[in-house]
Amino acid sequence: MSVLRVEAVEVRFGGVTALGGVDLQADAGRVTGLIGPNGAGKTTLFNVITGLQTPTAGRVYLDEQDVTHKKPHQRARLRVARTFQRLEVFGSLTTRENIMVAAEACQSWSNDNENPKVVTEEIIDRVGLRDVAESPVDALSTGLARLVELGRSMATRPRLLLLDEPGSGLDNNETDGLARILVELAGEGMAVLLVEHDMELVMRVCSEIFVLDFGRLIARGNPTEIQADEAVHAAYLGTEDDAKDTALEQVEEAVL
Ligand SMILES: Nc1ncnc2c1ncn2[C@@H]1O[C@H](COP(=O)(O)OP(=O)(O)OP(=O)(O)O)[C@@H](O)[C@H]1O
Ligand SMILES: [Mg+2]
Protein backbone atom coordinates (compact mmCIF):
# COMPACT_ATOMS: atom_id res chain seq x y z
CA MET A 1 0.00 0.00 0.00
CA SER A 2 1.39 3.37 -0.98
CA VAL A 3 1.62 6.13 1.60
CA LEU A 4 0.71 8.60 -1.15
CA ARG A 5 -1.36 7.98 -4.24
CA VAL A 6 -2.26 10.74 -6.67
CA GLU A 7 -4.87 9.80 -9.23
CA ALA A 8 -5.65 11.68 -12.46
CA VAL A 9 -4.91 15.07 -10.90
CA GLU A 10 -5.63 18.07 -13.05
CA VAL A 11 -5.00 21.74 -12.24
CA ARG A 12 -5.92 24.55 -14.58
CA PHE A 13 -5.02 28.20 -14.06
CA GLY A 14 -7.24 30.01 -16.57
CA GLY A 15 -5.98 28.79 -19.93
CA VAL A 16 -2.86 27.10 -18.51
CA THR A 17 -3.04 23.40 -17.73
CA ALA A 18 -0.45 23.16 -14.96
CA LEU A 19 -1.24 19.48 -14.40
CA GLY A 20 -3.12 17.26 -16.80
CA GLY A 21 -4.21 13.89 -15.46
CA VAL A 22 -1.19 13.04 -13.34
CA ASP A 23 -0.88 9.68 -11.54
CA LEU A 24 1.90 9.24 -9.01
CA GLN A 25 2.65 7.25 -5.91
CA ALA A 26 5.21 7.33 -3.14
CA ASP A 27 5.92 4.29 -0.99
CA ALA A 28 7.27 3.87 2.50
CA GLY A 29 10.96 3.03 2.68
CA ARG A 30 12.09 4.76 -0.48
CA VAL A 31 12.99 8.12 -1.92
CA THR A 32 10.81 8.82 -4.96
CA GLY A 33 11.97 11.49 -7.39
CA LEU A 34 9.81 14.03 -9.21
CA ILE A 35 11.71 15.83 -11.93
CA GLY A 36 11.00 17.87 -15.02
CA PRO A 37 11.96 21.16 -16.67
CA ASN A 38 10.99 24.53 -15.19
CA GLY A 39 7.24 25.07 -15.22
CA ALA A 40 6.51 21.33 -15.57
CA GLY A 41 4.10 21.41 -12.60
CA LYS A 42 6.20 19.91 -9.78
CA THR A 43 5.50 22.58 -7.17
CA THR A 44 1.85 22.68 -8.19
CA LEU A 45 1.63 18.94 -7.56
CA PHE A 46 3.19 19.44 -4.09
CA ASN A 47 0.56 22.10 -3.43
CA VAL A 48 -2.19 19.68 -4.43
CA ILE A 49 -0.74 16.94 -2.21
CA THR A 50 -0.49 19.24 0.81
CA GLY A 51 -3.87 20.89 0.28
CA LEU A 52 -2.70 24.39 -0.71
CA GLN A 53 -4.12 23.95 -4.20
CA THR A 54 -7.48 22.35 -4.95
CA PRO A 55 -7.28 20.26 -8.12
CA THR A 56 -9.83 20.87 -10.86
CA ALA A 57 -10.10 17.07 -11.16
CA GLY A 58 -8.54 13.96 -9.66
CA ARG A 59 -7.93 12.62 -6.17
CA VAL A 60 -5.22 12.44 -3.50
CA TYR A 61 -5.03 9.47 -1.13
CA LEU A 62 -2.92 9.15 2.01
CA ASP A 63 -2.76 5.53 3.14
CA GLU A 64 -5.71 4.97 0.81
CA GLN A 65 -7.78 7.57 2.66
CA ASP A 66 -9.22 10.13 0.25
CA VAL A 67 -7.90 13.51 1.46
CA THR A 68 -8.68 15.52 -1.67
CA HIS A 69 -10.89 17.91 0.24
CA LYS A 70 -9.01 17.99 3.53
CA LYS A 71 -7.35 21.20 4.70
CA PRO A 72 -3.55 21.53 4.90
CA HIS A 73 -3.49 21.30 8.72
CA GLN A 74 -5.61 18.14 8.62
CA ARG A 75 -3.10 16.57 6.25
CA ALA A 76 -0.23 17.67 8.48
CA ARG A 77 -1.87 15.71 11.28
CA LEU A 78 -1.89 12.70 9.01
CA ARG A 79 1.90 13.10 9.08
CA VAL A 80 2.59 14.94 5.87
CA ALA A 81 5.38 17.53 5.94
CA ARG A 82 7.06 19.59 3.27
CA THR A 83 9.75 22.12 2.55
CA PHE A 84 9.29 25.00 0.14
CA GLN A 85 11.13 25.89 -3.05
CA ARG A 86 11.29 29.49 -1.82
CA LEU A 87 12.59 28.58 1.59
CA GLU A 88 10.14 29.29 4.41
CA VAL A 89 11.78 29.60 7.79
CA PHE A 90 11.30 31.91 10.76
CA GLY A 91 14.27 34.17 10.05
CA SER A 92 14.42 35.97 13.37
CA LEU A 93 14.27 32.71 15.34
CA THR A 94 17.31 30.55 15.95
CA THR A 95 17.90 27.18 14.34
CA ARG A 96 16.87 25.47 17.59
CA GLU A 97 13.69 27.57 17.93
CA ASN A 98 12.65 26.84 14.33
CA ILE A 99 12.85 23.11 14.94
CA MET A 100 11.32 23.34 18.43
CA VAL A 101 8.23 25.16 17.10
CA ALA A 102 7.48 22.18 14.87
CA ALA A 103 8.31 19.60 17.54
CA GLU A 104 5.97 21.32 20.00
CA ALA A 105 3.18 21.66 17.44
CA CYS A 106 3.50 17.97 16.66
CA GLN A 107 3.37 17.02 20.33
CA SER A 108 0.23 19.08 20.84
CA TRP A 109 -1.74 17.05 18.28
CA SER A 110 -0.15 13.62 18.50
CA ASN A 111 -0.45 11.04 21.21
CA ASP A 112 3.12 9.76 21.18
CA ASN A 113 4.81 11.10 24.26
CA GLU A 114 8.00 12.37 22.73
CA ASN A 115 9.63 15.26 24.51
CA PRO A 116 9.92 18.16 22.00
CA LYS A 117 13.25 19.24 23.51
CA VAL A 118 14.72 15.78 23.02
CA VAL A 119 13.35 15.57 19.48
CA THR A 120 14.82 19.00 18.68
CA GLU A 121 18.32 18.16 19.94
CA GLU A 122 18.30 14.83 18.13
CA ILE A 123 17.41 16.54 14.85
CA ILE A 124 19.97 19.32 15.33
CA ASP A 125 22.67 16.64 15.51
CA ARG A 126 21.24 14.54 12.76
CA VAL A 127 21.03 17.37 10.26
CA GLY A 128 24.44 18.71 11.32
CA LEU A 129 23.30 22.04 12.75
CA ARG A 130 24.88 21.89 16.22
CA ASP A 131 27.37 24.70 15.44
CA VAL A 132 24.58 27.07 14.41
CA ALA A 133 21.90 25.97 16.89
CA GLU A 134 21.91 29.40 18.60
CA SER A 135 22.12 31.47 15.41
CA PRO A 136 19.15 33.35 14.00
CA VAL A 137 18.33 31.70 10.69
CA ASP A 138 18.53 35.05 8.87
CA ALA A 139 22.27 35.01 9.60
CA LEU A 140 22.83 31.61 7.96
CA SER A 141 23.82 30.72 4.38
CA THR A 142 21.00 29.52 2.10
CA GLY A 143 22.37 26.00 2.35
CA LEU A 144 22.22 25.94 6.14
CA ALA A 145 18.82 27.64 6.17
CA ARG A 146 17.53 24.88 3.87
CA LEU A 147 18.83 22.30 6.32
CA VAL A 148 16.97 24.13 9.12
CA GLU A 149 13.80 23.87 7.05
CA LEU A 150 14.48 20.16 6.52
CA GLY A 151 15.03 19.73 10.26
CA ARG A 152 11.81 21.56 11.01
CA SER A 153 9.86 19.30 8.65
CA MET A 154 11.45 16.22 10.26
CA ALA A 155 10.38 17.43 13.72
CA THR A 156 6.73 16.68 12.93
CA ARG A 157 7.71 13.01 12.48
CA PRO A 158 6.22 12.75 8.99
CA ARG A 159 5.36 9.51 7.25
CA LEU A 160 5.38 11.41 3.97
CA LEU A 161 8.01 14.09 3.44
CA LEU A 162 7.86 16.34 0.37
CA LEU A 163 11.04 18.25 -0.46
CA ASP A 164 10.95 21.01 -3.10
CA GLU A 165 14.51 21.56 -4.32
CA PRO A 166 16.25 20.99 -0.97
CA GLY A 167 19.64 20.84 -2.70
CA SER A 168 19.48 24.33 -4.13
CA GLY A 169 22.09 26.58 -2.47
CA LEU A 170 23.86 23.68 -0.74
CA ASP A 171 27.62 23.20 -1.17
CA ASN A 172 29.07 19.77 -1.97
CA ASN A 173 29.50 18.76 1.66
CA GLU A 174 25.98 19.85 2.54
CA THR A 175 24.62 17.97 -0.49
CA ASP A 176 26.43 14.81 0.61
CA GLY A 177 24.92 15.24 4.07
CA LEU A 178 21.47 15.75 2.57
CA ALA A 179 21.80 12.60 0.45
CA ARG A 180 22.82 10.58 3.52
CA ILE A 181 19.87 11.91 5.57
CA LEU A 182 17.33 11.18 2.83
CA VAL A 183 18.53 7.60 2.42
CA GLU A 184 18.49 7.15 6.21
CA LEU A 185 14.95 8.53 6.56
CA ALA A 186 13.71 6.20 3.83
CA GLY A 187 15.57 3.35 5.52
CA GLU A 188 13.56 4.05 8.66
CA GLY A 189 10.33 3.65 6.71
CA MET A 190 9.50 7.19 5.64
CA ALA A 191 8.11 7.92 2.17
CA VAL A 192 10.18 10.76 0.73
CA LEU A 193 9.14 12.61 -2.44
CA LEU A 194 11.97 14.67 -3.83
CA VAL A 195 11.74 17.50 -6.37
CA GLU A 196 15.24 18.43 -7.38
CA HIS A 197 17.16 19.88 -10.31
CA ASP A 198 20.49 18.43 -9.09
CA MET A 199 20.32 15.26 -11.19
CA GLU A 200 23.37 13.74 -9.58
CA LEU A 201 21.56 13.90 -6.23
CA VAL A 202 18.32 12.54 -7.71
CA MET A 203 20.05 9.62 -9.39
CA ARG A 204 22.01 8.84 -6.25
CA VAL A 205 19.13 8.62 -3.78
CA CYS A 206 15.93 7.79 -5.70
CA SER A 207 14.76 4.26 -6.36
CA GLU A 208 11.92 5.43 -8.58
CA ILE A 209 11.55 8.66 -10.56
CA PHE A 210 8.51 10.32 -12.12
CA VAL A 211 9.10 12.84 -14.91
CA LEU A 212 6.71 15.71 -15.65
CA ASP A 213 6.75 17.91 -18.71
CA PHE A 214 4.15 20.61 -19.38
CA GLY A 215 1.94 19.11 -16.68
CA ARG A 216 1.97 15.59 -18.10
CA LEU A 217 3.71 12.53 -16.77
CA ILE A 218 6.09 11.52 -19.55
CA ALA A 219 8.13 8.80 -17.83
CA ARG A 220 8.35 6.67 -14.72
CA GLY A 221 11.16 4.28 -13.84
CA ASN A 222 14.38 3.64 -11.98
CA PRO A 223 17.39 5.92 -12.58
CA THR A 224 18.79 3.74 -15.36
CA GLU A 225 15.45 3.62 -17.17
CA ILE A 226 14.95 7.36 -16.85
CA GLN A 227 18.41 8.06 -18.16
CA ALA A 228 17.68 5.95 -21.24
CA ASP A 229 14.19 7.36 -21.84
CA GLU A 230 13.81 9.21 -25.12
CA ALA A 231 10.87 11.32 -23.97
CA VAL A 232 12.95 12.52 -21.03
CA HIS A 233 15.82 13.42 -23.33
CA ALA A 234 13.45 15.28 -25.62
CA ALA A 235 11.89 17.20 -22.70
CA TYR A 236 15.27 18.35 -21.46
CA LEU A 237 16.77 18.92 -24.89
CA GLY A 238 13.74 20.65 -26.34
CA THR A 239 14.79 23.91 -24.80
CA GLU A 240 17.24 26.70 -25.34
CA ASP A 241 18.00 26.84 -21.68
CA ASP A 242 21.61 25.87 -20.92
CA ALA A 243 20.67 24.94 -17.37
CA LYS A 244 18.43 22.17 -18.65
CA ASP A 245 21.09 20.87 -21.01
CA THR A 246 23.46 20.78 -18.06
CA ALA A 247 20.83 18.88 -16.10
CA LEU A 248 20.62 16.28 -18.86
CA GLU A 249 24.38 15.90 -18.93
CA GLN A 250 24.26 15.35 -15.18
CA VAL A 251 21.61 12.65 -15.67
CA GLU A 252 23.95 10.88 -18.06
CA GLU A 253 27.06 11.29 -15.93
CA ALA A 254 25.26 10.16 -12.80
CA VAL A 255 24.11 6.92 -14.32
CA LEU A 256 27.00 6.01 -16.58
N1 LIG B 1 -0.87 30.45 -8.98
C1 LIG B 1 -0.68 30.29 -10.30
N2 LIG B 1 -1.39 31.00 -11.20
C2 LIG B 1 -1.21 30.83 -12.52
N3 LIG B 1 -0.33 29.98 -13.07
C3 LIG B 1 0.45 29.28 -12.22
C4 LIG B 1 0.32 29.39 -10.80
N4 LIG B 1 1.21 28.55 -10.21
C5 LIG B 1 1.87 27.95 -11.22
N5 LIG B 1 1.42 28.38 -12.42
C6 LIG B 1 1.86 27.89 -13.74
O1 LIG B 1 1.73 26.48 -13.71
C7 LIG B 1 2.82 25.87 -14.39
C8 LIG B 1 3.55 24.93 -13.46
O2 LIG B 1 4.27 25.69 -12.48
P1 LIG B 1 5.07 25.02 -11.28
O3 LIG B 1 5.55 26.12 -10.41
O4 LIG B 1 4.25 23.96 -10.66
O5 LIG B 1 6.30 24.34 -12.05
P2 LIG B 1 7.63 23.65 -11.47
O6 LIG B 1 7.75 22.33 -12.16
O7 LIG B 1 7.62 23.66 -10.00
O8 LIG B 1 8.76 24.61 -12.04
P3 LIG B 1 10.20 25.02 -11.42
O9 LIG B 1 11.14 23.88 -11.73
O10 LIG B 1 10.57 26.26 -12.16
O11 LIG B 1 10.03 25.24 -9.95
C9 LIG B 1 3.67 27.00 -14.93
O12 LIG B 1 3.25 27.26 -16.26
C10 LIG B 1 3.32 28.16 -14.02
O13 LIG B 1 3.52 29.38 -14.67
MG1 LIG C 1 8.81 24.48 -8.56
Side-chain angles (χ1 to χ4, degrees), residues 203-220:
M203 297 298 156
R204 186 153 36 132
V205 301
C206 294
S207 36
E208 184 169 37
I209 300 167
F210 291 78
V211 188
L212 280 180
D213 189 29
F214 291 112
R216 304 262 167 201
L217 193 68
I218 58 164
R220 170 187 179 173

Side-chain angles (χ1 to χ4, degrees), residues 222-233 251 255:
N222 66 36
T224 311
E225 289 163 342
I226 293 303
Q227 192 272 332
D229 192 290
E230 285 185 12
V232 176
H233 279 248
V251 172
V255 177

Side-chain angles (χ1 to χ4, degrees), residues 73-212:
H73 72 273
Q74 295 174 308
R75 301 189 201 198
R77 289 175 191 204
L78 293 170
R79 306 278 177 173
V80 177
R82 76 177 289 182
T83 64
F84 289 84
Q85 182 169 1
R86 265 184 257 157
L87 194 61
E88 294 205 10
V89 280
F90 304 115
S92 60
L93 300 187
T94 65
T95 294
R96 175 176 285 116
E97 287 164 342
N98 266 273
I99 297 171
M100 181 77 95
V101 165
E104 283 178 345
C106 176
Q107 197 211 22
S108 73
W109 43 255
S110 74
N111 42 23
D112 48 20
N113 277 326
E114 284 197 300
N115 179 337
K117 288 201 171 89
V118 174
V119 171
T120 300
E121 299 309 315
E122 173 212 307
I123 289 175
I124 285 172
D125 284 330
R126 188 157 188 192
V127 185
L129 293 168
R130 178 63 55 196
D131 290 348
V132 295
E134 318 289 336
S135 307
V137 175
D138 272 346
L140 303 182
S141 66
T142 306
L144 286 173
R146 282 206 182 273
L147 293 177
V148 172
E149 200 191 21
L150 172 66
R152 196 182 58 190
S153 68
M154 286 163 58
T156 61
R157 298 294 196 213
R159 302 194 51 237
L160 172 65
L161 179 59
L162 310 171
L163 303 171
D164 200 346
E165 301 194 24
S168 127
L170 270 60
D171 66 24
N172 287 344
N173 276 341
E174 289 163 346
T175 304
D176 283 346
L178 173 65
R180 178 183 49 74
I181 293 164
L182 298 188
V183 169
E184 266 177 30
L185 292 174
E188 291 162 15
M190 197 183 286
V192 180
L193 185 58
L194 173 68
V195 164
E196 183 52 61
H197 284 294
D198 177 345
M199 289 303 151
E200 206 273 325
L201 175 60
V202 170
M203 297 298 156
R204 186 153 36 132
V205 301
C206 294
S207 36
E208 184 169 37
I209 300 167
F210 291 78
V211 188
L212 280 180

